């Protein structure tokens, strides 16, 4: 379970559900020459995934050793149960973002010892097989949630699956997982959606004033609404608990506006500190990096030239973000580098003709 590199993953691995996640699993496994078989209730999805190189289509003679269920949350429990019955020698996992409900369902049926839940903490606001990528899971947590009766072989298979696709396996109890994702994923989705929904009431040229902060805050609001209805309904208890705490915070802010600067200062400082706790590259928080900002002309080859000049300066890029604003002839690249290295990179880029600053 603690291996840092994948062991041999025997196939066939059957991926049931060829949307963004399922097709990405297939593409990533095929890079390791794993035999991947594809199935979807919409045959067209499986055919598209197969045409992209994610695997071959399921036929009646296939006897999978591992089944990866990558269907919408509302269908996951039934498809897992069907898979455990149809392939009695196969180990089964899923990629559902809420684990307690599906684990309870599996515990009530046969084959529970062959099931180990999983949840890759990766995705996109886009959906469908055409949005898939073999690199989707690289460096991302892949939570593995064994049940009380899960056999070691099932747990090891899911851990190895995560390693094969480039993920970082983390073993958690299903209930602990659901509490965690309510905090770090589900409530942020709700907050992003609520913020974006207020834009429907914008007047005149209000939205012309928007910038990267608004885009960052509302990006995930564009995600598939049907999928999120499933997720929020399945994890309602844990999401409600966090939202009630957020409601209390909002009430404090509303009451303090224009009246209690000290309370507002504490709220702002608490939020600032919270951002420093979010893990970044190698588990480091964003506060452990210098952020160098560079103006990049909106013409072909400029971003490539910036990467080359940064590399030639001897500085390793820890992270990169590029923003474009309405009516602005340049983009703004934000380069994260090791703490203390920022000033030297600013000087090196300035010497090469860039407009750069911390």
């Amino acid at each position: 379970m603690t291996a840092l590199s994948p062991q041999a993953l025997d196939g066939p691995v059957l991926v049931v559900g060829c949307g963004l996640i399922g097709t990405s699993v297939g593409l990533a496994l095929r890079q390791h020459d794993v035999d991947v078989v594809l199935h979807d209730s919409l045959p067209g999805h499986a055919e598209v995934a197969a045409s992209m190189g994610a695997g071959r289509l399921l036929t009646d003679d296939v006897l999978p050793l591992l089944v990866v269920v990558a269907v919408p949350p509302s269908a996951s429990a039934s498809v897992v149960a069907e898979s455990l019955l149809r392939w009695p020698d196969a180990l089964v996992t899923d990629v559902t973002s809420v684990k307690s409900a599906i684990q309870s369902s599996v515990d009530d049926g046969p084959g529970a010892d062959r099931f180990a839940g999983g949840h890759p903490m990766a995705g996109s606001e886009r959906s469908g097989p055409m949005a898939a990528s073999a690199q989707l899971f690289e460096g991302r947590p892949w939570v593995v949630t064994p049940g009380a009766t899960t056999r070691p072989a099932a747990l090891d298979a899911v851990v190895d699956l995560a390693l094969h696709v480039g993920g970082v396996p983390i073993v958690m109890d299903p209930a602990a997982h659901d509490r965690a994702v309510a905090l770090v994923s589900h409530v942020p989705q709700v907050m992003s959606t609520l913020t974006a929904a207020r834009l429907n009431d914008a007047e005149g040229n209000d939205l012309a004033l928007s910038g990267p902060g608004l885009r960052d805050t509302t990006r995930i609001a564009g995600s598939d609404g049907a999928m999120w209805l499933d997720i929020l309904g399945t994890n309602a208890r844990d999401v409600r608990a966090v939202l009630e705490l957020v409601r209390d915070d909002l009430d404090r802010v509303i009451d303090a506006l224009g009246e209690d600067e000290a309370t507002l200062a504490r709220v702002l400082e608490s939020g600032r500190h919270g951002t420093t706790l979010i893990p970044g590259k190698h588990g480091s928080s964003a506060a452990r990096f210098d952020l160098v900002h560079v103006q990049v002309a909106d013409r072909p080859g400029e971003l490539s030239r910036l990467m080359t000049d940064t590399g030639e300066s001897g500085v390793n890029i820890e992270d990169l973000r590029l923003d474009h604003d309405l009516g602005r002839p340049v983009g703004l690249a934000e380069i994260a580098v090791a703490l203390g290295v920022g000033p030297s990179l600013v000087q090196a880029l300035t010497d090469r003709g860039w407009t750069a600053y911390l």
Side-chain angles (χ1 to χ4, degrees):
M1 288 192 326
T2 58
L4 297 179
S5 60
Q7 306 301 307
L9 185 62
D10 295 327
V13 173
L14 171 61
V15 176
V16 181
C18 298
L20 168 68
I21 299 297
T23 304
S24 295
V25 168
L27 290 171
L29 290 179
R30 288 300 300 141
Q31 291 191 336
H32 292 273
D33 294 323
V34 176
D35 182 16
V36 179
V37 183
L38 305 169
H39 176 67
D40 196 290
S41 60
L42 297 174
H45 279 195
E47 291 168 1
V48 170
S51 72
M52 295 171 62
R56 58 190 175 97
L57 298 178
L58 175 65
T59 54
D60 291 339
D61 61 331
V62 171
L63 296 176
L65 296 183
L66 175 64
V67 180
V68 181
V69 175
V71 301
S74 60
S76 290
S78 62
V79 175
V80 165
E82 292 168 6
S83 300
L84 289 168
L85 285 173
R86 181 175 178 181
W87 294 287
D89 295 324
L91 305 174
V92 178
T93 188
D94 74 315
V95 298
T96 314
S97 59
V98 183
K99 309 313 306 179
S100 296
I102 192 169
Q103 186 63 55
S104 296
S105 176
V106 170
D107 287 342
D108 291 336
D113 64 315
R114 292 185 284 117
F115 175 77
H119 178 208
M121 299 297 295
S124 168
E125 60 272 23
R126 298 185 300 144
S127 59
M130 292 300 294
S133 167
Q135 288 73 46
L136 184 66
F137 311 108
E138 288 187 359
R140 301 300 304 155
W142 189 299
V143 187
V144 185
T145 57
T149 63
T150 298
R151 66 176 71 168
L155 175 58
D156 290 343
V158 182
V159 168
D160 203 48
L161 168 68
L163 291 169
H164 266 80
V165 301
V168 180
I170 300 174
V171 180
M172 294 181 71
D173 172 79
H177 165 275
D178 291 353
R179 289 193 300 271
V181 293
L183 177 65
V184 305
S185 177
H186 300 169
V187 167
Q189 176 69 41
V190 173
M191 301 304 292
S192 177
T193 298
L194 291 175
T195 300
R198 299 311 312 153
L199 302 180
N200 293 310
D201 296 329
E203 299 180 4
N205 291 324
D206 290 356
L207 296 182
L209 307 183
S210 61
L214 181 63
R215 288 196 295 272
D216 287 349
T217 303
T218 60
R219 178 183 60 82
I220 58 175
S223 300
D224 181 21
M227 176 189 73
W228 276 101
L229 276 175
D230 268 355
I231 292 171
L232 296 174
T234 307
N235 203 28
R237 182 187 63 183
D238 289 314
V239 171
R240 183 182 295 112
V242 179
L243 284 175
E244 287 172 349
L245 295 175
V246 172
R247 181 181 61 192
D248 293 342
D249 290 339
L250 282 172
D251 286 341
R252 276 192 290 272
V253 169
I254 291 170
D255 292 342
L257 284 171
E259 303 290 340
D260 186 352
E261 187 174 288
T263 294
L264 285 176
R266 286 194 295 271
V267 171
L268 294 171
E269 175 59 24
S270 179
R272 189 204 64 79
H273 181 262
T275 65
T276 70
L277 304 179
I278 302 172
K281 185 177 179 182
H282 308 311
S284 301
S285 72
R288 296 185 180 276
F289 298 130
D290 281 344
L291 299 179
V292 175
H293 301 86
V294 188
Q295 291 187 6
V296 182
D298 190 9
R299 57 176 179 262
E302 285 299 278
L303 186 58
S304 176
R305 185 169 70 89
L306 174 60
M307 297 299 96
T308 299
D309 287 350
T310 301
E312 290 179 352
S313 73
V315 173
N316 184 56
I317 296 175
E318 303 291 343
D319 202 357
L320 172 69
R321 187 176 72 171
L322 185 65
D323 283 323
H324 278 286
D325 289 334
L326 180 66
R328 191 176 186 178
V330 298
L332 186 65
E334 182 183 83
I335 303 174
V337 297
L339 198 63
V341 175
S344 64
L345 178 59
V346 168
Q347 186 61 55
L349 292 177
T350 300
D351 291 344
R352 288 170 167 80
W354 295 97
T355 299
Y357 53 92
L358 286 169

